[in-house]
Amino acid sequence: MDKVLWIDGLAALFVGSVLISFHSFVGEIYRMPDTVVLFLAFANLLYGLYSSSLAMSRKVSLRKIQGLVFGNCLWALICLFLVYRFMDSASLIGIVFMLSEALFVTFLAGVEWRCRFELSEIRAMV
């Protein structure tokens, strides 16, 4: 079950890397300001580092898993706020991306919450 931590972390690192590498291009496609795209990129990178560090840890406290779930829920709310904020100006592709990210992290939060006790047990290094 600890693979969910790897999925969570690597997905965030991937999205963050793509967004930071192509922020101007993505900003044009999404019709969102560069600052918003860079915010999305840095938030994903920071979150991805945190989640990946938990995936690499042999023992993770329940509190850290709960923090991870809270972070995913908060990020989903931020994504929904950005959809609301840019609904009139963002492209359909930008809106769909933000909604998809909100759904994805909400799903991850649900899985991580249901498995929080298992994820916080001592596990063998992968």
Side-chain angles (χ1 to χ4, degrees):
M1 183 43 64
D2 60 333
K3 288 179 182 36
V4 71
L5 298 177
W6 283 108
I7 292 167
D8 198 353
L10 294 176
L13 289 172
F14 176 76
V15 169
S17 298
V18 168
L19 290 177
I20 205 161
S21 297
F22 303 104
H23 65 90
S24 294
F25 178 68
V26 171
E28 287 177 29
I29 291 174
Y30 289 2
R31 289 201 309 259
M32 290 183 177
D34 269 359
T35 53
V36 172
V37 176
L38 288 171
F39 166 73
L40 295 171
F42 284 115
N44 270 283
L45 289 172
L46 289 173
Y47 180 86
L49 289 173
Y50 177 70
S51 185
S52 296
S53 74
L54 296 183
M56 288 185 277
S57 297
R58 189 164 151 76
K59 180 164 176 36
V60 178
S61 72
L62 181 59
R63 192 167 301 274
K64 288 181 180 178
I65 297 298
Q66 290 169 333
L68 191 68
V69 171
F70 175 79
N72 273 331
C73 292
L74 179 62
W75 189 245
L77 291 174
I78 290 169
C79 289
L80 293 176
F81 170 77
L82 290 173
V83 166
Y84 171 77
R85 167 65 180 83
F86 293 102
M87 183 63 82
D88 294 335
S89 59
S91 68
L92 180 60
I93 224 167
I95 297 297
V96 168
F97 171 80
M98 296 305 302
L99 290 174
S100 298
E101 188 159 358
L103 284 172
F104 181 68
V105 299
T106 300
F107 172 77
L108 286 172
V111 171
E112 290 162 349
W113 182 255
R114 281 189 298 280
C115 301
R116 65 191 179 279
F117 298 111
E118 182 182 343
L119 289 171
S120 63
E121 293 174 356
I122 296 175
R123 24 185 220 277
M125 294 298 280
V126 178

